[in-house]
Amino acid sequence: VQLVESGGTLVEPGGSLTLTCATSGFDFSWAFMAWARRPPGKGGEGLEWVAGINAAGVTDVYADSVQGRATISKDFAKNELRLQLNNLRPEDTGMYYCTKDSFFATYTTDYYPEYRGQGTQVTVVS
């Protein structure tokens, strides 16, 4: 399983960006995928779950913190996972990870994915 994130950048509050995850080594069309993040100062191995999408790409769910501002999607032609974030806030700052799990779920406490990429940094600052 390989997950390679890109698209992280420095952006001003209110701005938008799209994160992309290039995937390989598994059947993307059968995979439950998600995005998670590690805010600055968060210790331990657990991540903050942000958004998830089912294998078919037709059901998406979001953390309350990004509900209404985020869209997760699967591009089956390119085997890519994406996350569009709008109206960015300073509290959205963090390292963002693309993840793969064996089941579809939401998480309100620390999230420990089966697989994750190396991450891409998003910084929201004036």
Side-chain angles (χ1 to χ4, degrees):
V1 173
Q2 285 201 317
L3 306 170
V4 181
E5 303 92 337
S6 63
T9 187
L10 190 150
V11 62
E12 293 185 348
S16 299
L17 56 74
T18 299
L19 305 180
T20 300
C21 174
T23 75
S24 61
F26 62 98
D27 191 338
F28 185 66
S29 61
W30 287 96
F32 299 108
M33 305 292 297
W35 287 95
R37 65 189 180 190
R38 181 185 297 281
K42 176 175 173 43
E45 291 297 314
L47 303 176
E48 177 185 335
W49 178 85
V50 174
I53 191 165
N54 72 341
V58 296
T59 301
D60 49 340
V61 289
Y62 301 92
D64 289 344
S65 59
V66 300
Q67 183 72 48
R69 302 188 296 120
T71 303
I72 186 172
S73 61
K74 295 180 94 177
D75 183 337
F76 292 98
K78 296 182 178 180
N79 285 350
E80 291 181 346
L81 180 73
R82 298 196 181 97
L83 180 70
Q84 180 176 351
L85 287 169
N86 300 316
N87 192 20
L88 282 157
R89 305 167 179 170
E91 54 264 38
D92 293 318
T93 294
M95 184 69 78
Y96 281 70
Y97 298 92
C98 170
T99 71
K100 175 186 176 301
D101 286 300
S102 296
F103 50 88
F104 185 50
T106 62
Y107 301 85
T108 57
T109 57
D110 277 357
Y111 168 49
Y112 299 87
E114 292 185 60
Y115 298 96
R116 71 177 192 188
Q118 292 299 308
T120 186
Q121 178 68 36
V122 173
T123 303
V124 184
V125 64
S126 299

